[in-house]
Structure formats: structure tokens, C-alpha cells
Amino acid sequence: MPSQPLRVAVVCSSNQNRSMEAHNILSKRGFDVRSFGTGSHVKLPGPSPDKPNVYDFKTTYEQMYNDLVRKDKELYTQNGILHMLDRNKRIKAKPERFQLCKDKFDLVITCEERVYDQVLEDLNSREQETLQPVHVINVDIQDNHEEATLGAFLICELCQCVSQNFLST
């Protein structure tokens, strides 16, 4: 029987919406979870689809929140971005890139196929140290608030099933 609980990573593109909603739900259910993005930058919706707000992964959720309040508090309140950032900053300080994390996970769940491909590419490029298997599963989730919430509950259900089997081996 494993001596530690299932270690889970949830990954989307910017570590803002889908991965953070799942991180929130999983941590409340007692899972050992971390969340990440795979993009080169963090992108949040802007005043129009062709003008996103782009941040470096080193930018804290608090800094993003304050920047968007300064730019257009009404717009970013109405579209839910400020609410999302408020949730995020209660979970952790800033977004993280999966490619920069060398921690070991038992299960990596991605939120879209492109992210799944990027995670596999990164894992395959790493030098093997432990020969410990990692399961990578993609759950396609549209990048909007409603789908992120539904997807987070599906991911939680999946983790509960995997965890039961993991702990019984």
C-alpha cells in the first residue's frame, strides 16, 4: 500500500480558470494537488478578443487583479475575471508553469488536448530519475466559468476513483 496519498497536478494553458477551479475543488476534498499552465504567458480576456491581457507567469494574481481594476473595473467584474482572480489569490500567490516544476506526480490531468500534448512533450524530454510511472489524462473543458466548474467536479470524481484504486494497491 502506498505510504502517501495520490499526488495530482491539474494543467491548463494559463493556470487561471480551469486548472484553478479544479485545484480549488480538489484541495477542499483533501487531495494533494497543484495546478499549472503550459503557455509561454498568462492570457486573460481583454476588452476585445484580439486584445487579451498578457502577463508573465511571475505576475501574482493580486497584481493582475489590481491591473484589471485600474484598466476597467466594471468590464472585468461583469465578465467574472475579477471574481476568478480573487479565488485564485486565495489558493496560491501566482500562476505556475508545468515545464518549470520538477516535482513528481502520480496523476496529471490536462484540460485540453493541446495542453496534453505539451505536458507529454515535456515529460518525455525529462531525464528519468525514479522510473516512477505517471498517468496523464486529458479532460477537454471549454475555457469559460461554467464549463470550468463542471469540469472541476468531473476531475474530482475521476481523482476519487483513481485514488481508491491507488490506495488499495
Side-chain angles (χ1 to χ4, degrees), residues 16-154:
Q16 290 290 333
N17 185 27
R18 299 166 293 178
S19 62
M20 287 300 289
E21 184 66 20
H23 186 153
N24 187 36
I25 299 291
L26 289 170
S27 64
K28 286 180 179 175
R29 299 276 164 80
F31 282 94
D32 180 5
V33 62
R34 293 195 47 204
S35 59
F36 302 92
T38 57
S40 55
H41 292 88
V42 172
K43 292 181 183 176
L44 291 172
S48 65
D50 62 327
K51 294 182 181 172
N53 291 287
V54 180
Y55 301 96
D56 189 278
F57 269 89
K58 294 175 184 161
T59 309
T60 67
Y61 292 121
E62 181 77 32
Q63 290 168 324
M64 292 177 210
Y65 184 96
N66 292 337
D67 182 52
L68 296 181
V69 165
R70 185 183 51 76
K71 287 179 177 176
D72 191 338
K73 183 176 182 178
E74 185 178 333
L75 170 66
Y76 297 113
T77 299
Q78 187 177 13
N79 69 9
I81 300 298
L82 293 179
H83 176 74
M84 179 185 72
L85 290 169
D86 189 50
R87 175 207 59 206
N88 293 356
K89 64 185 180 178
R90 284 179 297 195
I91 297 169
K92 63 184 191 178
K94 62 183 177 163
E96 298 174 84
R97 281 193 83 217
F98 181 78
Q99 296 91 327
L100 300 178
C101 177
K102 300 307 174 199
D103 292 352
K104 306 293 183 253
F105 298 99
D106 302 301
L107 178 61
V108 177
I109 300 174
T110 61
C111 299
E112 69 178 89
E113 191 172 346
R114 180 176 53 85
V115 172
Y116 174 84
D117 292 340
Q118 291 170 325
V119 165
L120 287 182
E121 182 180 328
D122 179 68
L123 290 174
N124 285 325
S125 71
R126 295 181 184 189
E127 189 170 322
Q128 287 293 324
E129 297 171 10
T130 65
L131 299 178
Q132 173 194 344
V134 58
H135 300 280
V136 183
I137 300 172
N138 183 56
V139 178
D140 267 322
I141 303 170
Q142 289 182 18
D143 196 2
N144 63 56
H145 301 302
E146 297 79 23
E147 293 295 323
T149 300
L150 292 172
F153 284 107
L154 285 173

